[in-house]
Every structure is written in C-alpha cells, then in structure tokens.
Amino acid sequence: MSYEVKFSKSAKKQFRKLPLDVQERIQTKINDLAVEPRPNGVKKLKGEENSYRIRVDDYRVVYEIEDDVLIVTVVRVKHRSEVYKDD
C-alpha cells in the first residue's frame, strides 16, 4: 500500500529555491513518505488535524496525510527558522 506524494504550488516553489545538495537530501526523505507517511521522528502539528513535519538537517517538511485516498501533500519546505511563520 503506497501513498502518492504531491507538492502544493507554494511548497514546490519553496523547494526549488533551496540549494541543490539540500534538495537532494529532502527529496530522498519525501520519497520515503510514499512508503511510510509516519516515519520515526515525525511530529504531529498541534492545532492541525492531519498535519505532520519531518526534519531534514536544519530544514522542515510540513505535510498532510489523507489516509482514505492514500495521498501525502507537502505543504511547506523551509529552514527551521522560517517554516512556522505565516507567509
């Protein structure tokens, strides 16, 4: 049972602004979410129903899981100092 991983439009834009070496490390972790959407070290975000975050070095990937349709949607990909600030 594999999940489909999608990016929101804003997350794709944020991801492309990152340095290539960081993109590669983050992409590996995002690809792993298709197999296991709740890996070790995942944190559920308070105040959100289906939002989670994973750490990749100093960066955070915030995503939502829709178990009924097997979709993981990446919502934000930013440095840890900026990820929780409103755009």
Side-chain angles (χ1 to χ4, degrees):
M1 173 169 87
S2 184
Y3 284 70
E4 179 183 352
V5 179
K6 295 181 175 183
F7 278 82
S8 71
K9 191 174 183 180
S10 60
K12 182 114 112 149
K13 193 173 182 181
Q14 294 164 2
F15 181 75
R16 287 184 177 149
K17 288 182 180 179
L18 300 175
L20 280 177
D21 61 322
V22 174
Q23 283 184 28
E24 290 173 5
R25 288 196 307 267
I26 291 174
Q27 188 63 55
T28 301
K29 295 288 188 177
I30 289 173
N31 292 344
D32 292 345
L33 293 176
V35 178
E36 178 53 64
R38 294 175 185 89
N40 286 340
V42 70
K43 297 278 184 185
K44 184 165 183 343
L45 297 182
K46 292 182 179 181
E48 302 288 333
E49 191 173 328
N50 294 323
S51 292
Y52 298 84
R53 74 121 169 103
I54 54 172
R55 287 179 48 190
V56 183
D57 299 325
D58 285 340
Y59 292 86
R60 303 296 181 263
V61 177
V62 178
Y63 62 97
E64 297 175 349
I65 302 172
E66 297 177 52
D67 287 312
D68 53 339
V69 289
L70 301 178
I71 294 177
V72 172
T73 305
V74 177
V75 180
R76 281 190 224 126
V77 182
K78 287 190 173 183
H79 190 271
R80 65 188 179 97
S81 65
E82 302 170 353
V83 73
Y84 303 110
K85 295 178 183 175
D86 290 331
D87 291 328

